[in-house]
């Protein structure tokens, strides 16, 4: 592993930042050989998580140097977790994002496109410019960015087109995807007792988004999670659902 030695300020020990892992995180080790924790970039900020601590103990910093310095400062001490650093309970199919209408709509589009490309997400939607762990139809697992998979400038060709090193030949991609993904215009799922179906119309999607907003205010968390799962859970009609949610977004803009 190639490592970068960063020189901190005079009152903070020097440290070593390791290479980025598949999860988008960089290990930080003091020059004394003590594992201090890891840092990662998330929506233009850098976060530091002390070694052996959960993500709820993370602290936010303006750049990676400050994040690494913070870890070195607390080596050998227990980090203090305050109300400001505790994250809310996770919502299914969203990684570190609040279940706002726009986040849900963006996630639905991304999850539908992954299904169309026969990628299997291994974690919730993290936003457009963060690493997203997923599995290829050939069995490879790693991270990709949604901003790369969705294409650019009205060209929805994913980048890179060859998916990843060691994948099956590109000539076999289209046939493999067609075999693995058969889109549906209506939801054929059994979403659970009294859970309802995955929406494929704008009216149905709008009603569920409104229900999510109410559940965020009044709870309980289980009801919020159930509603979000209807909007983002796996479904052969994921593309139709994403289109319905997009129509809701366009209605909102016209108001």
């Amino acid at each position: 592993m190639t490592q970068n030695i960063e020189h901190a300020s005079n009152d903070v020990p020097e440290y070593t930042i390791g290479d980025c892992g598949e999860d988008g995180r960089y290990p930080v080790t003091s020059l004394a050989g003590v594992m201090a924790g890891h840092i990662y970039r998330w929506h233009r900020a850098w976060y530091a998580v002390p070694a052996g601590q959960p993500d709820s103990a993370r602290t936010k910093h303006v750049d990676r140097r400050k994040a690494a310095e913070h870890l070195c400062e607390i080596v050998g001490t227990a980090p203090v977790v305050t109300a400001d650093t505790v994250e809310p309970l996770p919502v299914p199919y969203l990684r570190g994002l609040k279940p706002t209408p726009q986040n849900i709509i963006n996630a639905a589009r991304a999850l539908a496109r992954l299904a169309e490309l026969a990628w299997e997400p291994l974690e919730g939607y993290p936003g457009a410019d963060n690493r997203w762990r997923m599995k290829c139809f050939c069995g490879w697992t790693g991270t990709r960015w949604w901003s790369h998979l969705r294409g650019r400038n009205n060209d929805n060709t994913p980048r890179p087109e060859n998916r990843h090193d060691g994948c099956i030949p590109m000539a076999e991609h289209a046939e493999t995807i067609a075999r693995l993904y058969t889109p549906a215009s209506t939801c054929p799922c059994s979403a659970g007792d009294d859970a309802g179906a995955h929406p494929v119309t704008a009216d149905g999607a709008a009603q569920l988004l409104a229900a999510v907003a109410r559940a965020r205010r009044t709870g309980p968390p289980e009801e919020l999670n159930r509603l979000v799962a209807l909007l983002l859970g796996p479904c052969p009609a994921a593309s139709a659902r994403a289109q319905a949610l997009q129509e809701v977004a366009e209605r909102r803009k016209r108001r």
Side-chain angles (χ1 to χ4, degrees):
M1 174 185 293
T2 303
Q3 294 183 326
N4 302 312
I5 297 177
E6 303 257 349
H7 296 276
S9 58
N10 292 334
D11 57 345
V12 178
E14 292 181 330
Y15 47 82
T16 301
I17 298 179
D19 285 343
C20 183
E22 286 189 348
D23 59 357
R25 303 185 178 214
Y26 300 78
V28 178
T29 307
S30 73
L31 291 191
V34 177
M35 178 61 182
H38 63 261
I39 61 177
Y40 62 95
R41 188 171 186 268
W42 183 263
H43 293 287
R44 300 182 181 179
W46 282 85
Y47 291 87
V49 180
Q53 297 296 316
D55 272 5
S56 59
R58 71 180 189 173
T59 54
K60 184 177 179 180
H61 303 274
V62 296
D63 56 39
R64 72 185 232 149
R65 181 183 297 275
K66 293 295 184 183
E69 286 180 358
H70 173 76
L71 291 179
C72 288
E73 289 172 346
I74 63 174
V75 166
T77 64
V80 177
V81 181
T82 67
D84 292 336
T85 61
V86 175
E87 296 180 325
L89 292 174
V91 177
Y93 307 108
L94 293 172
R95 185 184 125 207
L97 300 176
K98 296 178 180 179
T100 63
Q102 192 58 56
N103 283 340
I104 289 174
I105 291 168
N106 291 343
R109 291 176 56 199
L111 290 165
R113 185 59 176 153
L114 257 60
E116 294 167 358
L117 297 172
W119 283 102
E120 177 187 350
L122 300 178
E123 59 188 356
Y125 171 70
D129 295 309
N130 293 295
R131 290 175 179 266
W132 194 356
R133 187 166 176 78
M134 56 187 68
K135 183 178 181 180
C136 180
F137 49 53
C138 71
W140 176 92
T141 60
T143 56
R144 287 288 178 265
W145 284 265
W146 163 234
S147 58
H148 292 184
L149 293 178
R150 69 185 177 188
R152 299 282 176 151
N153 300 323
N154 297 318
D155 179 0
N156 64 356
T157 302
R159 297 178 294 122
E161 291 185 61
N162 64 352
R163 295 176 74 97
H164 60 85
D165 291 341
C167 192
I168 65 174
M170 285 185 61
E172 301 176 17
H173 287 185
E175 179 183 354
T176 303
I177 292 172
R179 186 174 68 251
L180 295 173
Y181 176 71
T182 302
S185 58
T186 58
C187 171
C189 305
S190 174
D193 293 341
D194 300 322
H198 300 116
V200 293
T201 67
D203 288 343
Q207 290 174 8
L208 272 177
L209 284 176
V212 167
R214 290 192 297 271
R216 290 185 66 192
R217 295 192 300 268
T218 62
E222 294 79 11
E223 176 64 5
L224 173 62
N225 291 349
R226 182 186 73 84
L227 295 168
V228 172
L230 289 176
L231 290 162
L232 300 178
C235 179
S239 296
R241 179 179 57 188
Q243 180 59 41
L245 283 163
Q246 184 59 37
E247 290 178 20
V248 176
E250 293 171 357
R251 287 181 183 179
R252 289 169 174 263
K253 292 179 182 179
R254 292 194 294 265
R255 289 178 182 174

